[in-house]
Amino acid sequence: DADVTQTPRNRITKTGKRIMLECSQTKGHDRMYWYRQDPGLGLRLIYYSFDVKDINKGEISDGYSVSRQAQAKFSLSLESAIPNQTALYFCATSEPGDHRELFFGEGSRLTVL
Amino acid sequence: AQSVTQLGSHVSVSEGALVLLRCNYSSSVPPYLFWYVQYPNQGLQLLLKYTTGATLVKGINGFEAEFKKSETSFHLTKPSAHMSDAAEYFCAVSSSGGYNKLIFGAGTRLAVHP
């Protein structure tokens, strides 16, 4: 089984719908991240969390919210999805400290019609 | 502010040929640099990273990268491409301040043909 698991792997939804992407990890890492990947733009950070009580906005947090339900679980929500949120979303984890390796899930592909 | 520029969104090489993927960075502090690889339908995985010390860094699968401060570059190379190297490659720089946030380049898709 993967160390970082994302569900769903693929989702098609309509404009205005609420969507939740879930991430769970078995690596025992405190730090968790949500990134968005768009062609030609690389990955951009949406939110990150250093422990259950610590959640921080990344560079593109508008239109998104997160919940850290436990050390192992970090969910990303789109309260009212719009077409330009169509993208590939990645959850990642890391150990504490600077310049650590990120461990990624396999991604959740979201299409908003 | 830190940034990463990857020159060439698509690179195509023949099997057995040299692979060269270019990355230039901008950073006001000493950079920590990474190369990640993304195979089709998978997440990213670390190829190699530069922290301090030796400027030539060896990674997995025969890849290596050289940190050149004077050129603000961190190009990725492999002497002989394999078909299995076909993937998308991302260069990234790590921000300072204890937050471990990576700033990624736009990516380079490597195609390897027979």
Side-chain angles (χ1 to χ4, degrees):
Chain A
D1 290 339
D3 293 327
V4 183
T5 303
Q6 294 183 230
T7 56
R9 294 291 311 279
N10 288 282
R11 181 72 183 269
I12 300 173
T13 191
K14 295 182 179 181
T15 297
K17 295 292 188 181
R18 183 178 188 275
I19 293 296
M20 178 179 287
L21 306 179
E22 297 182 321
C23 177
S24 63
Q25 52 113 347
T26 58
K27 296 194 73 66
H29 290 164
D30 286 328
R31 297 188 171 189
M32 298 187 74
Y33 310 78
W34 276 104
Y35 281 89
R36 167 179 172 160
Q37 183 182 15
D38 297 279
L41 295 178
L43 280 77
R44 293 177 291 168
L45 183 63
I46 306 173
Y47 272 95
Y48 60 102
S49 170
F50 286 171
D51 62 42
V52 175
K53 297 181 180 180
D54 178 78
I55 291 179
N56 304 278
K57 293 182 177 181
E59 59 179 308
I60 55 164
S61 59
D62 287 349
Y64 301 95
S65 62
V66 291
S67 173
R68 185 80 185 266
Q69 301 94 327
Q71 187 212 33
K73 295 184 181 296
F74 192 36
S75 300
L76 176 71
S77 294
L78 288 67
E79 297 300 326
S80 180
I82 56 177
N84 76 1
Q85 291 177 314
T86 293
L88 184 57
Y89 291 86
F90 285 103
C91 175
T93 73
S94 77
E95 294 178 335
D98 279 339
H99 321 303
R100 302 289 186 172
E101 177 181 357
L102 293 179
F103 294 87
F104 286 85
E106 293 185 323
S108 296
R109 185 169 296 281
L110 176 65
T111 302
V112 183
L113 302 177
Chain B
Q2 296 170 307
S3 65
V4 172
T5 301
Q6 291 184 241
L7 300 176
S9 58
H10 290 82
V11 171
S12 181
V13 300
S14 299
E15 192 172 20
L18 171 71
V19 175
L20 171 60
L21 305 182
R22 299 178 186 272
C23 172
N24 289 88
Y25 69 90
S26 172
S27 179
S28 58
V29 297
Y32 291 75
L33 296 158
F34 301 74
W35 275 100
Y36 280 82
V37 60
Q38 183 182 25
Y39 297 105
N41 299 314
Q42 295 185 25
L44 283 73
Q45 62 184 84
L46 182 67
L47 268 180
L48 50 82
K49 71 175 183 179
Y50 168 77
T51 53
T52 57
T55 57
L56 183 62
V57 181
K58 294 187 184 298
I60 62 172
N61 302 335
F63 284 92
E64 62 183 32
E66 186 172 10
F67 171 65
K68 292 187 176 181
K69 183 178 179 180
S70 61
E71 298 178 6
T72 62
S73 69
F74 190 56
H75 301 332
L76 181 71
T77 61
K78 183 174 181 178
S80 176
H82 294 168
M83 297 296 289
S84 60
D85 293 327
E88 189 157 19
Y89 293 79
F90 293 91
C91 182
V93 62
S94 177
S95 65
S96 57
Y99 301 109
N100 199 40
K101 292 185 290 181
L102 287 186
I103 298 167
F104 286 87
T108 297
R109 187 168 297 278
L110 176 67
V112 182
H113 51 87

